[in-house]
Amino acid sequence: MTAALVTQNLTDPSIAAGVLKSGQLVAFATETVYGLGADATNSKAVAKVFEAKKRPAFDPLIVHVTDATAAQQVASTWPPIAADLAAAFWPGPLTMVLPKRDHISDLVTSGLPGVGIRVPKHPLAQSLLQHFAGPVVAPSANLFGSISPTTAEHVRHGLSGRIAAVLDGGACDVGVESTVVSLMDTRPVILRPGGLAQEDIEQITGPIKIATANSHLDDSAQPAPGMLSRHYAPQTRLLLIDVEADAIPENDGRWGLLTHGTDFHSEQTATNQNGLATPSKNIQFQEIQSLGSTKDLPTCAANFFAGLRSLDAANLDAIIARKFPTHGLGIALNDRLKRAAAR
Ligand code: TXA
Ligand code: MG
């Protein structure tokens, strides 16, 4: 057991870069979620990431770099499709998995031949990487399996005393993790839906599949190793419903609702201040988190983890969550909900 650290609050990226250089862990704002940074070339520092997060070693880490040129120091090949995707979406919420160079340790990739690489857009993350002048591994800055952090306060909630510092850049704009695309085979495959919509990627790649647990049956890639069925999990039981509020069981306990605007099959599920009004039931909720209109899925995504976290802190018996439409960022949000609901 390592001694508890005093987790410093930082706003200066040059100081944060110095802490990283000394082999310590610094959580930092990115546009997706907060990352838990460590020097990717220092195996001891990388090992500390797994320890601080209580993360199993089979779950590989994403390497963060300043730009596509720096990415080519991490990847051993740079096919035209990587160049095209980088030109279109970097900096931004896209992680590309490419064959790794030998100097990237197996600890980073969990022994896999590919390495996940991302160029974050958040100005503070960019500045940190510029000052650090090297690759930085960064998983989401939460304890393994728990809700991803979208503010510095969320990071402290889970990791205070376990990491050296948090570089505070305010609330994350995108709010869900990056989309992970594998370029290890001839056809690109989405390993994790995320903050960059599939439709946007397909503008560059043409039709592309999302890997599922059964993908090997239809000859496409395995899902990302970190895609455990139970993930992003609140402590409180979470029930996922489609659109029918009538699917909610009768219960006189303390219920919370994670919902969104009413333009999605609205007749059956009109939300009002008291909760879900249905023809047969009018269920009262102790707390309602409405994330935004489904016409504005980026706003729903930006509010998603904070909304889930707030409900989880409200001492409820269960949280009801409504699914999102299955396009754009709705796909990533439904993926996170499904994992949060898994038991
Ligand atoms: O937006 C994000 O991606 C955030 C910010 C901090 O950049 N990072 C993040 O990291 O979400 P993490 O570790 O929580 O999730 C990364 C996931 C892993 O669980 C794994 O599923 C996949 O990305 N991944 C990473 N490296 C991979 C590799 N070499 N091969 C296949 N999948 C990989
Ligand atoms: Mg994570």
Side-chain angles (χ1 to χ4, degrees):
M1 180 68 207
T2 34
L5 296 163
V6 176
T7 301
Q8 291 181 71
N9 294 316
L10 299 175
T11 50
D12 182 338
S14 68
I15 294 176
V19 180
L20 282 179
K21 280 282 174 215
S22 75
Q24 300 185 77
L25 306 184
V26 179
F28 61 98
T30 85
E31 73 281 15
T32 57
V33 299
Y34 273 69
L36 178 56
D39 180 348
T41 65
N42 176 343
S43 292
K44 257 181 151 166
V46 175
K48 281 185 195 168
V49 170
F50 289 92
E51 191 188 8
K53 274 185 66 89
K54 303 187 182 172
R55 175 170 169 131
F58 62 73
D59 195 359
L61 304 176
I62 295 172
V63 175
H64 295 67
V65 293
T66 49
D67 55 25
T69 306
Q72 289 165 70
Q73 302 306 308
V74 176
S76 64
T77 62
W78 192 249
I81 193 162
D84 291 348
L85 285 168
F89 302 120
W90 277 356
L94 169 70
T95 294
M96 292 196 266
V97 177
L98 284 155
K100 76 176 187 75
R101 283 187 188 259
D102 288 343
H103 72 273
I104 301 296
S105 88
D106 282 344
L107 198 54
V108 171
T109 64
S110 303
L112 295 169
V115 58
I117 310 172
R118 182 163 104 80
V119 175
K121 189 170 189 173
H122 195 295
L124 212 53
Q126 270 288 334
S127 178
L128 175 68
L129 291 169
Q130 299 282 353
H131 281 103
F132 184 75
V136 172
V137 290
S140 52
N142 52 302
L143 289 173
F144 179 71
S146 68
I147 301 171
S148 291
T150 54
T151 67
E153 185 51 43
H154 296 167
V155 175
R156 277 191 289 274
H157 184 79
L159 296 178
S160 191
R162 304 180 68 81
I163 63 176
V166 184
L167 181 59
D168 190 341
C172 303
D173 284 348
V174 175
V176 288
E177 298 85 345
S178 61
T179 304
V180 180
V181 176
S182 173
L183 301 177
M184 296 296 287
D185 288 316
T186 39
R187 275 184 306 170
V189 176
I190 295 179
L191 300 182
R192 175 178 71 179
L196 178 63
Q198 177 173 355
E199 295 90 324
D200 293 340
I201 296 171
E202 287 179 333
Q203 298 282 327
I204 306 290
T205 61
I208 178 171
K209 279 191 185 168
I210 301 183
T212 65
N214 292 323
S215 289
H216 59 287
L217 299 176
D218 66 3
D219 178 41
S220 53
Q222 295 288 315
M227 297 303 278
L228 298 177
S229 57
R230 180 167 166 77
H231 213 101
Y232 311 103
Q235 300 295 311
T236 316
R237 186 161 67 108
L238 187 134
L239 301 174
L240 189 51
I241 59 164
D242 269 299
V243 287
E244 294 287 343
D246 280 341
I248 299 172
E250 292 289 356
N251 191 303
D252 52 8
R254 290 173 56 83
W255 291 78
L257 178 67
L258 188 68
T259 187
H260 42 69
T262 56
D263 44 292
F264 175 46
H265 295 273
S266 56
E267 292 94 73
Q268 277 121 13
T269 56
T271 31
N272 60 31
Q273 283 191 325
N274 300 319
L276 281 177
T278 77
S280 56
K281 281 185 207 166
N282 191 351
I283 296 160
Q284 299 295 311
F285 290 96
Q286 303 296 319
E287 179 172 336
I288 296 174
Q289 287 287 329
S290 190
L291 303 178
S293 162
T294 49
K295 290 199 179 106
D296 181 7
L297 290 169
T299 293
C300 295
N303 294 330
F304 179 76
F305 282 125
L308 186 56
R309 202 174 267 272
S310 170
L311 288 166
D312 199 23
N315 189 27
L316 302 167
D317 294 313
I319 301 165
I320 303 281
R322 288 175 66 205
K323 284 187 188 164
F324 290 84
T326 51
H327 60 79
L329 297 193
I331 295 173
L333 293 172
N334 285 336
D335 168 80
R336 305 303 185 270
L337 279 179
K338 208 173 82 196
R339 289 172 207 288
R343 284 279 129 185

Short mmCIF file of all heavy atoms in Angstrom, two decimals, residues 19-64:
data_model
loop_
_atom_site.label_atom_id
_atom_site.label_comp_id
_atom_site.label_asym_id
_atom_site.label_seq_id
_atom_site.Cartn_x
_atom_site.Cartn_y
_atom_site.Cartn_z
N VAL A 19 5.59 17.91 -13.36
CA VAL A 19 5.18 16.81 -12.46
C VAL A 19 5.16 15.49 -13.25
O VAL A 19 5.62 14.46 -12.77
CB VAL A 19 3.79 17.10 -11.82
CG1 VAL A 19 3.38 15.97 -10.89
CG2 VAL A 19 3.81 18.43 -11.05
N LEU A 20 4.66 15.54 -14.48
CA LEU A 20 4.68 14.33 -15.34
C LEU A 20 6.12 13.87 -15.59
O LEU A 20 6.42 12.68 -15.54
CB LEU A 20 4.02 14.62 -16.69
CG LEU A 20 2.50 14.66 -16.77
CD1 LEU A 20 2.05 14.99 -18.19
CD2 LEU A 20 1.89 13.33 -16.32
N LYS A 21 7.02 14.82 -15.87
CA LYS A 21 8.43 14.49 -16.14
C LYS A 21 9.07 13.79 -14.96
O LYS A 21 9.96 12.95 -15.11
CB LYS A 21 9.24 15.76 -16.46
CG LYS A 21 9.08 16.27 -17.87
CD LYS A 21 9.91 15.47 -18.89
CE LYS A 21 9.59 15.93 -20.31
NZ LYS A 21 9.61 14.88 -21.31
N SER A 22 8.60 14.14 -13.74
CA SER A 22 9.18 13.52 -12.54
C SER A 22 8.62 12.11 -12.30
O SER A 22 8.91 11.48 -11.29
CB SER A 22 8.94 14.42 -11.32
OG SER A 22 7.58 14.32 -10.92
N GLY A 23 7.77 11.64 -13.22
CA GLY A 23 7.28 10.26 -13.12
C GLY A 23 6.00 10.12 -12.32
O GLY A 23 5.57 9.02 -12.01
N GLN A 24 5.39 11.26 -11.98
CA GLN A 24 4.14 11.20 -11.21
C GLN A 24 2.92 11.32 -12.13
O GLN A 24 3.04 11.63 -13.30
CB GLN A 24 4.15 12.31 -10.16
CG GLN A 24 5.32 12.19 -9.19
CD GLN A 24 5.21 13.22 -8.10
OE1 GLN A 24 4.42 13.07 -7.18
NE2 GLN A 24 5.99 14.27 -8.23
N LEU A 25 1.75 11.09 -11.53
CA LEU A 25 0.50 11.10 -12.29
C LEU A 25 -0.20 12.45 -12.17
O LEU A 25 -0.35 12.99 -11.08
CB LEU A 25 -0.46 10.02 -11.78
CG LEU A 25 0.08 8.59 -11.71
CD1 LEU A 25 -1.03 7.63 -11.27
CD2 LEU A 25 0.68 8.16 -13.04
N VAL A 26 -0.65 12.97 -13.31
CA VAL A 26 -1.40 14.23 -13.33
C VAL A 26 -2.68 14.02 -14.14
O VAL A 26 -2.62 13.66 -15.33
CB VAL A 26 -0.59 15.37 -13.99
CG1 VAL A 26 -1.42 16.66 -14.02
CG2 VAL A 26 0.73 15.60 -13.26
N ALA A 27 -3.82 14.23 -13.52
CA ALA A 27 -5.08 14.21 -14.27
C ALA A 27 -5.23 15.55 -14.97
O ALA A 27 -4.84 16.58 -14.43
CB ALA A 27 -6.26 13.96 -13.34
N PHE A 28 -5.76 15.54 -16.19
CA PHE A 28 -5.89 16.80 -16.94
C PHE A 28 -7.16 16.81 -17.78
O PHE A 28 -7.66 15.77 -18.20
CB PHE A 28 -4.65 17.04 -17.82
CG PHE A 28 -4.40 15.97 -18.87
CD1 PHE A 28 -4.81 16.16 -20.19
CD2 PHE A 28 -3.74 14.79 -18.55
CE1 PHE A 28 -4.58 15.19 -21.16
CE2 PHE A 28 -3.50 13.81 -19.51
CZ PHE A 28 -3.93 14.01 -20.82
N ALA A 29 -7.64 18.03 -18.02
CA ALA A 29 -8.85 18.20 -18.83
C ALA A 29 -8.56 17.86 -20.28
O ALA A 29 -7.52 18.25 -20.82
CB ALA A 29 -9.31 19.65 -18.73
N THR A 30 -9.46 17.11 -20.91
CA THR A 30 -9.48 17.02 -22.36
C THR A 30 -10.90 17.40 -22.78
O THR A 30 -11.77 17.57 -21.92
CB THR A 30 -9.12 15.61 -22.91
OG1 THR A 30 -10.29 14.80 -22.93
CG2 THR A 30 -8.01 14.95 -22.12
N GLU A 31 -11.16 17.49 -24.06
CA GLU A 31 -12.51 17.86 -24.50
C GLU A 31 -13.51 16.73 -24.30
O GLU A 31 -14.71 16.97 -24.25
CB GLU A 31 -12.51 18.32 -25.97
CG GLU A 31 -12.32 17.22 -27.00
CD GLU A 31 -10.86 16.79 -27.15
OE1 GLU A 31 -10.03 17.12 -26.28
OE2 GLU A 31 -10.56 16.10 -28.15
N THR A 32 -13.02 15.47 -24.14
CA THR A 32 -13.95 14.34 -23.96
C THR A 32 -14.25 14.14 -22.49
O THR A 32 -15.36 14.45 -22.03
CB THR A 32 -13.35 13.05 -24.57
OG1 THR A 32 -12.08 12.79 -23.96
CG2 THR A 32 -13.23 13.16 -26.07
N VAL A 33 -13.28 13.59 -21.75
CA VAL A 33 -13.38 13.43 -20.29
C VAL A 33 -11.99 13.75 -19.74
O VAL A 33 -11.05 13.90 -20.51
CB VAL A 33 -13.79 11.98 -19.91
CG1 VAL A 33 -15.15 11.62 -20.50
CG2 VAL A 33 -12.74 10.96 -20.32
N TYR A 34 -11.88 13.87 -18.42
CA TYR A 34 -10.54 14.08 -17.84
C TYR A 34 -9.71 12.80 -18.00
O TYR A 34 -10.23 11.69 -17.83
CB TYR A 34 -10.63 14.45 -16.35
CG TYR A 34 -10.81 15.95 -16.14
CD1 TYR A 34 -12.00 16.58 -16.51
CD2 TYR A 34 -9.79 16.73 -15.60
CE1 TYR A 34 -12.16 17.94 -16.34
CE2 TYR A 34 -9.95 18.11 -15.42
CZ TYR A 34 -11.13 18.71 -15.81
OH TYR A 34 -11.29 20.07 -15.65
N GLY A 35 -8.43 12.98 -18.35
CA GLY A 35 -7.52 11.85 -18.49
C GLY A 35 -6.58 11.79 -17.29
O GLY A 35 -6.30 12.80 -16.65
N LEU A 36 -6.09 10.58 -16.99
CA LEU A 36 -5.08 10.41 -15.94
C LEU A 36 -3.75 10.20 -16.63
O LEU A 36 -3.46 9.11 -17.14
CB LEU A 36 -5.44 9.23 -15.04
CG LEU A 36 -4.42 8.95 -13.93
CD1 LEU A 36 -4.21 10.18 -13.05
CD2 LEU A 36 -4.86 7.77 -13.08
N GLY A 37 -2.94 11.29 -16.68
CA GLY A 37 -1.73 11.28 -17.48
C GLY A 37 -0.52 10.70 -16.78
O GLY A 37 -0.35 10.85 -15.57
N ALA A 38 0.32 10.03 -17.59
CA ALA A 38 1.64 9.58 -17.14
C ALA A 38 2.57 9.58 -18.35
O ALA A 38 2.11 9.46 -19.49
CB ALA A 38 1.56 8.17 -16.55
N ASP A 39 3.87 9.70 -18.08
CA ASP A 39 4.90 9.67 -19.13
C ASP A 39 4.88 8.29 -19.79
O ASP A 39 5.18 7.28 -19.16
CB ASP A 39 6.26 9.93 -18.47
CG ASP A 39 7.41 9.91 -19.46
OD1 ASP A 39 7.22 9.48 -20.62
OD2 ASP A 39 8.52 10.33 -19.05
N ALA A 40 4.51 8.26 -21.08
CA ALA A 40 4.35 6.97 -21.78
C ALA A 40 5.67 6.23 -21.94
O ALA A 40 5.66 5.02 -22.18
CB ALA A 40 3.71 7.21 -23.15
N THR A 41 6.79 6.93 -21.81
CA THR A 41 8.10 6.28 -21.99
C THR A 41 8.69 5.80 -20.66
O THR A 41 9.79 5.25 -20.63
CB THR A 41 9.11 7.25 -22.65
OG1 THR A 41 9.35 8.35 -21.74
CG2 THR A 41 8.57 7.79 -23.97
N ASN A 42 7.98 6.02 -19.56
CA ASN A 42 8.47 5.65 -18.22
C ASN A 42 7.58 4.52 -17.68
O ASN A 42 6.46 4.76 -17.24
CB ASN A 42 8.43 6.91 -17.34
CG ASN A 42 8.82 6.64 -15.90
OD1 ASN A 42 8.83 5.49 -15.44
ND2 ASN A 42 9.12 7.71 -15.17
N SER A 43 8.10 3.30 -17.74
CA SER A 43 7.27 2.14 -17.37
C SER A 43 6.76 2.21 -15.94
O SER A 43 5.64 1.77 -15.65
CB SER A 43 8.05 0.84 -17.55
OG SER A 43 8.26 0.64 -18.90
N LYS A 44 7.60 2.76 -15.05
CA LYS A 44 7.17 2.87 -13.65
C LYS A 44 5.97 3.80 -13.54
O LYS A 44 5.01 3.53 -12.80
CB LYS A 44 8.31 3.44 -12.80
CG LYS A 44 9.04 2.42 -11.96
CD LYS A 44 10.08 3.18 -11.19
CE LYS A 44 10.42 2.56 -9.87
NZ LYS A 44 11.67 3.17 -9.36
N ALA A 45 6.02 4.89 -14.27
CA ALA A 45 4.91 5.86 -14.25
C ALA A 45 3.66 5.22 -14.86
O ALA A 45 2.55 5.38 -14.33
CB ALA A 45 5.30 7.12 -15.02
N VAL A 46 3.84 4.46 -15.94
CA VAL A 46 2.69 3.80 -16.57
C VAL A 46 2.07 2.78 -15.60
O VAL A 46 0.84 2.69 -15.47
CB VAL A 46 3.10 3.11 -17.90
CG1 VAL A 46 1.94 2.33 -18.49
CG2 VAL A 46 3.61 4.15 -18.90
N ALA A 47 2.93 2.07 -14.89
CA ALA A 47 2.43 1.08 -13.92
C ALA A 47 1.60 1.76 -12.83
O ALA A 47 0.60 1.20 -12.35
CB ALA A 47 3.59 0.31 -13.32
N LYS A 48 2.02 2.98 -12.44
CA LYS A 48 1.27 3.71 -11.40
C LYS A 48 -0.16 4.02 -11.84
O LYS A 48 -1.06 4.13 -11.01
CB LYS A 48 1.97 5.05 -11.09
CG LYS A 48 3.16 4.95 -10.19
CD LYS A 48 3.66 6.36 -9.87
CE LYS A 48 5.05 6.31 -9.27
NZ LYS A 48 5.67 7.66 -9.23
N VAL A 49 -0.38 4.18 -13.14
CA VAL A 49 -1.74 4.46 -13.64
C VAL A 49 -2.67 3.30 -13.31
O VAL A 49 -3.79 3.50 -12.82
CB VAL A 49 -1.73 4.69 -15.18
CG1 VAL A 49 -3.14 4.74 -15.73
CG2 VAL A 49 -0.97 5.96 -15.52
N PHE A 50 -2.18 2.09 -13.57
CA PHE A 50 -3.01 0.90 -13.29
C PHE A 50 -3.28 0.79 -11.79
O PHE A 50 -4.39 0.46 -11.37
CB PHE A 50 -2.30 -0.37 -13.82
CG PHE A 50 -2.28 -0.45 -15.31
CD1 PHE A 50 -1.22 0.05 -16.06
CD2 PHE A 50 -3.35 -1.03 -16.00
CE1 PHE A 50 -1.21 -0.02 -17.44
CE2 PHE A 50 -3.36 -1.11 -17.38
CZ PHE A 50 -2.28 -0.61 -18.11
N GLU A 51 -2.25 1.11 -10.99
CA GLU A 51 -2.39 1.01 -9.54
C GLU A 51 -3.40 2.06 -9.02
O GLU A 51 -4.31 1.74 -8.26
CB GLU A 51 -1.02 1.22 -8.89
CG GLU A 51 -0.99 0.88 -7.43
CD GLU A 51 0.33 1.28 -6.79
OE1 GLU A 51 1.17 1.96 -7.43
OE2 GLU A 51 0.50 0.91 -5.62
N ALA A 52 -3.23 3.31 -9.47
CA ALA A 52 -4.10 4.39 -8.96
C ALA A 52 -5.55 4.16 -9.34
O ALA A 52 -6.47 4.44 -8.57
CB ALA A 52 -3.62 5.74 -9.51
N LYS A 53 -5.79 3.63 -10.54
CA LYS A 53 -7.17 3.41 -11.03
C LYS A 53 -7.74 2.06 -10.59
O LYS A 53 -8.91 1.78 -10.85
CB LYS A 53 -7.18 3.42 -12.57
CG LYS A 53 -7.32 4.77 -13.21
CD LYS A 53 -7.43 4.62 -14.73
CE LYS A 53 -8.68 3.92 -15.21
NZ LYS A 53 -9.82 4.74 -15.47
N LYS A 54 -6.87 1.19 -10.03
CA LYS A 54 -7.25 -0.21 -9.73
C LYS A 54 -7.72 -0.88 -11.03
O LYS A 54 -8.76 -1.55 -11.08
CB LYS A 54 -8.34 -0.29 -8.66
CG LYS A 54 -7.94 0.39 -7.36
CD LYS A 54 -8.98 0.14 -6.29
CE LYS A 54 -8.60 0.86 -5.00
NZ LYS A 54 -9.66 0.81 -3.99
N ARG A 55 -6.97 -0.62 -12.08
CA ARG A 55 -7.35 -1.09 -13.41
C ARG A 55 -6.61 -2.37 -13.75
O ARG A 55 -5.41 -2.47 -13.53
CB ARG A 55 -6.99 0.00 -14.42
CG ARG A 55 -7.20 -0.34 -15.89
CD ARG A 55 -7.04 0.94 -16.67
NE ARG A 55 -6.97 0.79 -18.09
CZ ARG A 55 -7.71 1.53 -18.93
NH1 ARG A 55 -8.59 2.38 -18.46
NH2 ARG A 55 -7.54 1.44 -20.21
N PRO A 56 -7.30 -3.37 -14.31
CA PRO A 56 -6.60 -4.60 -14.68
C PRO A 56 -5.64 -4.34 -15.83
O PRO A 56 -5.89 -3.50 -16.70
CB PRO A 56 -7.74 -5.54 -15.12
CG PRO A 56 -8.88 -4.66 -15.44
CD PRO A 56 -8.74 -3.41 -14.64
N ALA A 57 -4.53 -5.10 -15.83
CA ALA A 57 -3.48 -4.86 -16.81
C ALA A 57 -3.86 -5.26 -18.23
O ALA A 57 -3.17 -4.93 -19.18
CB ALA A 57 -2.21 -5.60 -16.38
N PHE A 58 -5.00 -5.96 -18.40
CA PHE A 58 -5.38 -6.35 -19.77
C PHE A 58 -6.06 -5.23 -20.53
O PHE A 58 -6.43 -5.39 -21.68
CB PHE A 58 -6.27 -7.61 -19.76
CG PHE A 58 -7.59 -7.44 -19.04
CD1 PHE A 58 -8.63 -6.70 -19.59
CD2 PHE A 58 -7.78 -8.02 -17.79
CE1 PHE A 58 -9.83 -6.55 -18.92
CE2 PHE A 58 -8.98 -7.88 -17.12
CZ PHE A 58 -10.02 -7.13 -17.69
N ASP A 59 -6.26 -4.08 -19.89
CA ASP A 59 -6.99 -2.98 -20.52
C ASP A 59 -5.99 -1.91 -20.98
O ASP A 59 -5.44 -1.19 -20.16
CB ASP A 59 -7.97 -2.42 -19.49
CG ASP A 59 -9.03 -1.53 -20.11
OD1 ASP A 59 -8.99 -1.32 -21.33
OD2 ASP A 59 -9.87 -1.04 -19.35
N PRO A 60 -5.74 -1.81 -22.29
CA PRO A 60 -4.65 -0.94 -22.77
C PRO A 60 -4.95 0.55 -22.63
O PRO A 60 -6.10 0.96 -22.51
CB PRO A 60 -4.54 -1.32 -24.25
CG PRO A 60 -5.89 -1.85 -24.62
CD PRO A 60 -6.43 -2.50 -23.38
N LEU A 61 -3.88 1.35 -22.66
CA LEU A 61 -3.99 2.80 -22.47
C LEU A 61 -3.83 3.54 -23.79
O LEU A 61 -3.06 3.12 -24.66
CB LEU A 61 -2.88 3.27 -21.51
CG LEU A 61 -2.84 2.58 -20.15
CD1 LEU A 61 -1.64 3.09 -19.35
CD2 LEU A 61 -4.13 2.84 -19.38
N ILE A 62 -4.53 4.66 -23.92
CA ILE A 62 -4.40 5.50 -25.11
C ILE A 62 -3.21 6.44 -24.93
O ILE A 62 -3.02 7.03 -23.85
CB ILE A 62 -5.70 6.32 -25.32
CG1 ILE A 62 -6.88 5.38 -25.62
CG2 ILE A 62 -5.52 7.35 -26.44
CD1 ILE A 62 -8.24 6.08 -25.65
N VAL A 63 -2.41 6.57 -25.99
CA VAL A 63 -1.27 7.48 -25.98
C VAL A 63 -1.70 8.81 -26.60
O VAL A 63 -2.25 8.84 -27.70
CB VAL A 63 -0.09 6.87 -26.77
CG1 VAL A 63 1.06 7.87 -26.86
CG2 VAL A 63 0.36 5.57 -26.13
N HIS A 64 -1.46 9.90 -25.87
CA HIS A 64 -1.85 11.24 -26.33
C HIS A 64 -0.62 12.00 -26.84
O HIS A 64 0.42 12.01 -26.17
CB HIS A 64 -2.50 12.02 -25.17
CG HIS A 64 -3.80 11.41 -24.72
ND1 HIS A 64 -3.87 10.19 -24.12
CD2 HIS A 64 -5.09 11.86 -24.82
CE1 HIS A 64 -5.14 9.90 -23.85
NE2 HIS A 64 -5.89 10.89 -24.27
#
